[in-house]
Amino acid sequence: QVQLVESGGGLVQAGGSLRLSCAASGRTFSNYGMGWFRQAPGKEREFVGSINWSGGSTYYTDSVKGRFTISRDNAKGTGYLQMNSLKPEDTAVYRCAAARIGSNWSWSSWGQGTQVTVSS
């Protein structure tokens, strides 16, 4: 399986921006779709959005549409989550995940997560 490592989390004020990165290794990154998830304390894990293997198709949950953008650079083996207009309710541990092409978006690899904290 592909191994994933997130980076880029931190503390930001409401209205600010952060860009998370998800570095892949071990397998050909372009063989996988990628997704981002988040989990706030005391809450269930929430799907944030996904991007297909080529980067030509993205999907977002309603709460982040227009504020978050998922992209990828297959040459670098890295995916990104650009987060703008951040709100305190975006505070969570963010994790990236990979799903092999043809697996019907079955998430087989996960990163360890990176903390995002948005202060009001």
Side-chain angles (χ1 to χ4, degrees):
Q1 300 295 335
V2 65
Q3 287 81 48
L4 305 173
V5 178
E6 302 96 337
S7 61
L11 174 64
V12 63
Q13 289 188 333
S17 298
L18 279 175
R19 188 177 81 156
L20 306 184
S21 298
C22 176
S25 62
R27 292 290 187 268
T28 303
F29 185 53
S30 57
N31 287 339
Y32 293 83
M34 191 185 73
W36 286 93
F37 295 78
R38 65 186 181 184
Q39 188 166 19
K43 295 188 177 181
E44 293 188 354
R45 185 175 64 202
E46 176 187 24
F47 172 76
V48 174
S50 62
I51 187 167
N52 74 335
W53 69 273
S54 68
S57 178
T58 55
Y59 178 85
Y60 301 93
T61 194
D62 285 347
S63 61
V64 307
K65 282 181 181 177
R67 300 189 299 123
F68 290 11
T69 303
I70 297 174
S71 62
R72 63 190 296 160
D73 185 336
N74 285 341
K76 294 183 178 180
T78 303
Y80 304 97
L81 176 64
Q82 177 68 45
M83 304 184 293
N84 298 329
S85 302
L86 282 161
K87 305 175 181 180
E89 52 263 44
D90 293 318
T91 295
V93 173
Y94 284 72
R95 299 177 74 186
C96 60
R100 191 167 177 81
I101 294 174
S103 70
N104 196 29
W105 294 99
S106 174
W107 306 107
S108 56
S109 297
W110 293 84
Q112 82 288 351
T114 186
Q115 176 71 46
V116 172
T117 303
V118 184
S119 63
S120 57

